[in-house]
Amino acid sequence: MSKRENLPERRRVAFLTLGCKVNFYETEKMMEQFQKAGFEIVDFSDSADIYIVNTCTVTNIADRKSRQMLHRAKKKNPQSLVAAVGCYVESDSERLKTDSAVDAYFTNDDKENIAGRMIEQFSLERTERLAAGSRDVRHERTRAYIKVQDGCNQFCTYCLIPYVRGRGKLRSMPEEQVIAEVELLAQKGCREVVLTGIHLSSYGVERMGTADFIKAKGEPLLELIRRVAQVDGIERIRLGSLEPRIISEVFLQELAKIEQLCPHFHLSLQSGCDSVLQRMNRRYTSDEYREKVKLLRQYFSCPAITTDVIVGFPGETEEEFDKTREYLKELQLADIHVFPYSPRAGTKAADMPAQVSPEEKKRRVDCLIADTVCYRRNYGNLFQGQMEKVLFEDTEERNGVCYLMGHNERYVKIGVPLAEAEESGYRENEIHEVRVQHIFF
């Protein structure tokens, strides 16, 4: 929807992405649309004629950040057109209607043809199509995200996503379409792809006549990974967030056979206390999650296992929080993303009694973040002095020294002093085996 009748012919468009990896993938697809329509893609910090913010609504903080970025764009160029797209639009379009900084807003479904919708709504009849020989979309990263699945039917009590991403309907990109996209990326020199989804574990289940990923036993996702691994030029495959219940011996036995798969697994936990998990409607226990972690460590050498944790969920007592903290100390994961619970209107948790105060939530967040710093360093230091395969991505200056930076298969950030890297012939978007001397956290 738009609040302007006409748009002069414009050529510079900037994007900002907030939230999950799926959003990053969808932004790249929107960029391709605009580029093919004759627009120049510029950085969000530059002056542009059109600014598009791919928003997030997973927390109140995400909502606020979305609004801040929309207003920042308008302040950057008051004459620009500013468009909000995505999950925040789905959750609070009424507020956007009266926001003076926002000229247009589009839902998640609109993303697939946002350039066409904007051209149609803003009367850009004279927009030129991509001229022959024009450059292709430039991928800023050496890894590319591919959204292969959308929708979630888990309905955790704190989460709006099933409502703003298809109302619980599951949708998967056909295998042939995924492979075609991966092949195109490989032809452009991409070495690593990340398969993502709103609920990646549900990939393909709707085509099996079920909406239950447990019954599917992960086979549709496994088959997709096998096929991606066969694409020439793709040397690494990473997976987005997995549902813990998809992890089984049969699933991991097959997964471990795929040489290109990086042993880097994000299993969302949310709480280490069973009573909190039950209130969240997470459908597994802390003991079951612990067994999944053990299985991963059994089938993969030193896997990077990361997770999400929500603190201050309604009714979470000090004892329940302490259980989560001790549980995480026992697991010793590679990294933890810690979030304070944020009430979302329309979810069951928002109406639960015994809401935790903001001050107490902050204290608990600070405790877990301090713990996580130690977990991250403990895991990263396991690779100090080891020979590791690093996909180099860019250069960074740290403490006055310039490094060629990259990640190993387990996503530990490793740097080689630039002078040494140049002498050794290392370049960006290349994988080299190096002895680890500099790890960055």
Side-chain angles (χ1 to χ4, degrees):
M1 300 181 182
S2 68
K3 299 188 291 189
R4 289 197 181 189
E5 295 297 324
N6 296 297
L7 172 69
E9 188 173 3
R10 298 179 188 268
R11 286 294 177 268
R12 291 164 62 87
V13 59
F15 291 82
L16 179 74
T17 308
L18 303 172
C20 64
K21 293 177 181 177
V22 169
N23 268 4
F24 280 90
Y25 167 83
E26 291 174 339
T27 293
E28 289 193 355
K29 305 309 288 184
M30 289 189 285
M31 290 170 66
E32 289 179 3
Q33 295 176 43
F34 277 91
Q35 203 162 31
K36 289 178 180 178
F39 287 84
E40 177 188 359
I41 310 298
V42 299
D43 191 87
F44 196 78
S45 62
D46 294 339
S47 178
D49 302 298
I50 301 174
Y51 293 93
I52 296 177
V53 179
N54 196 356
T55 63
C56 177
T57 192
V58 71
T59 65
N60 285 332
I61 294 173
D63 284 355
R64 186 164 64 249
K65 184 67 174 291
S66 296
R67 292 192 296 269
Q68 288 173 345
M69 293 302 101
L70 291 163
H71 282 257
R72 181 177 296 179
K74 181 60 75 174
K75 185 176 180 181
K76 184 75 175 176
N77 181 3
Q79 301 305 312
S80 67
L81 293 173
V82 177
V85 300
C87 292
Y88 179 54
V89 175
E90 304 263 9
S91 69
D92 202 0
S93 61
E94 290 302 312
R95 182 164 184 165
L96 289 171
K97 289 179 182 178
T98 59
D99 192 327
S100 61
V102 180
D103 301 301
Y105 49 95
F106 299 90
T107 67
N108 283 309
D109 288 342
D110 293 333
K111 290 177 179 178
E112 293 186 3
N113 188 31
I114 187 172
R117 292 285 301 275
M118 290 188 74
I119 290 168
E120 177 184 355
Q121 291 188 24
F122 294 140
S123 302
L124 275 175
E125 294 91 349
R126 294 186 295 162
T127 299
E128 299 174 358
R129 292 296 167 184
L130 183 66
S134 292
R135 65 182 177 89
D136 291 328
V137 169
R138 182 169 65 94
H139 293 276
E140 297 294 340
R141 298 177 297 276
T142 55
R143 67 182 53 83
Y145 295 90
I146 304 176
K147 187 189 77 171
V148 301
Q149 187 276 337
D150 207 343
C152 178
N153 61 4
Q154 299 304 295
F155 292 98
C156 299
T157 59
Y158 54 82
C159 188
L160 267 179
I161 298 304
Y163 303 99
V164 300
R165 285 275 182 176
R167 298 334 190 242
K169 183 180 179 181
L170 303 177
R171 302 174 299 283
S172 302
M173 183 187 291
E175 278 188 18
E176 296 304 326
Q177 187 176 341
V178 176
I179 298 306
E181 189 161 331
V182 173
E183 289 176 341
L184 182 60
L185 288 167
Q187 291 168 12
K188 294 178 179 180
C190 182
R191 301 296 185 90
E192 179 179 306
V193 293
V194 185
L195 305 181
T196 69
I198 296 301
H199 193 257
L200 183 61
S201 299
S202 291
Y203 176 80
V205 300
E206 70 274 19
R207 296 197 290 269
M208 299 180 69
T210 177
D212 187 348
F213 73 95
I214 298 295
K215 290 181 180 178
K217 300 179 181 179
E219 185 55 40
L221 181 58
L222 273 172
E223 183 56 30
L224 178 68
I225 300 168
R226 293 186 189 107
R227 292 199 59 188
V228 172
Q230 294 171 2
V231 175
D232 289 340
I234 297 301
E235 299 184 48
R236 289 183 177 180
I237 302 171
R238 293 189 195 275
L239 302 179
S241 181
L242 292 176
E243 166 75 37
R245 291 178 293 160
I246 199 175
I247 302 299
S248 67
E249 290 222 38
V250 173
F251 183 75
L252 294 185
Q253 284 171 359
E254 295 303 312
L255 209 57
K257 295 176 184 178
I258 303 172
E259 184 179 343
Q260 293 88 340
L261 184 79
C262 293
H264 175 203
F265 303 96
H266 188 85
L267 298 185
S268 290
L269 172 63
Q270 308 307 0
S271 177
C273 177
D274 289 340
S275 55
V276 177
L277 287 172
Q278 188 173 19
R279 295 200 297 275
M280 290 177 167
N281 192 34
R282 288 299 289 174
R283 307 184 195 184
Y284 52 80
T285 67
S286 58
D287 283 343
E288 289 169 338
Y289 187 96
R290 181 187 290 109
E291 288 304 310
K292 307 304 184 182
V293 171
K294 288 181 178 178
L295 279 175
L296 284 167
R297 289 170 173 165
Q298 175 183 333
Y299 280 92
F300 295 89
S301 174
C302 200
I305 305 174
T306 61
T307 198
D308 301 311
V309 172
I310 297 173
V311 301
F313 191 75
E316 184 185 62
T317 64
E318 188 68 22
E319 180 183 5
E320 288 175 325
F321 171 70
D322 288 341
K323 282 185 178 180
T324 291
R325 192 176 184 189
E326 291 304 313
Y327 182 78
L328 293 170
K329 286 180 180 178
E330 174 197 342
L331 291 185
Q332 290 289 313
L333 303 179
D335 202 0
I336 304 170
H337 303 152
V338 185
F339 303 93
Y341 167 71
S342 179
R344 313 302 292 140
T347 63
K348 291 182 178 180
D351 297 324
M352 288 181 178
Q355 297 281 332
V356 179
S357 71
E359 296 78 16
E360 181 58 22
K361 283 190 281 192
K362 182 180 185 305
R363 185 190 70 81
R364 295 177 188 182
V365 166
D366 290 344
C367 285
L368 289 191
I369 287 178
D371 292 344
T372 299
V373 170
C374 296
Y375 304 148
R376 192 182 300 129
R377 288 189 178 277
N378 290 343
Y379 183 75
N381 287 336
L382 293 175
F383 302 95
Q384 192 70 48
Q386 302 299 310
M387 296 298 295
E388 290 292 313
K389 292 180 179 179
V390 178
L391 173 56
F392 289 108
E393 300 160 30
D394 54 22
T395 57
E396 291 184 30
E397 185 175 321
R398 297 290 185 95
N399 298 321
V401 179
C402 195
Y403 293 89
L404 182 62
M405 293 286 200
H407 290 85
N408 69 354
E409 294 163 312
R410 292 159 179 81
Y411 212 68
V412 174
K413 192 169 188 177
I414 296 167
V416 175
L418 189 58
E420 179 183 330
E422 290 176 346
E423 184 178 345
S424 300
Y426 304 160
R427 289 183 291 272
E428 292 181 17
N429 202 34
E430 293 181 351
I431 296 176
H432 292 279
E433 191 168 25
V434 303
R435 187 169 299 280
V436 179
Q437 297 180 348
H438 304 279
I439 296 175
F440 297 90
F441 301 97

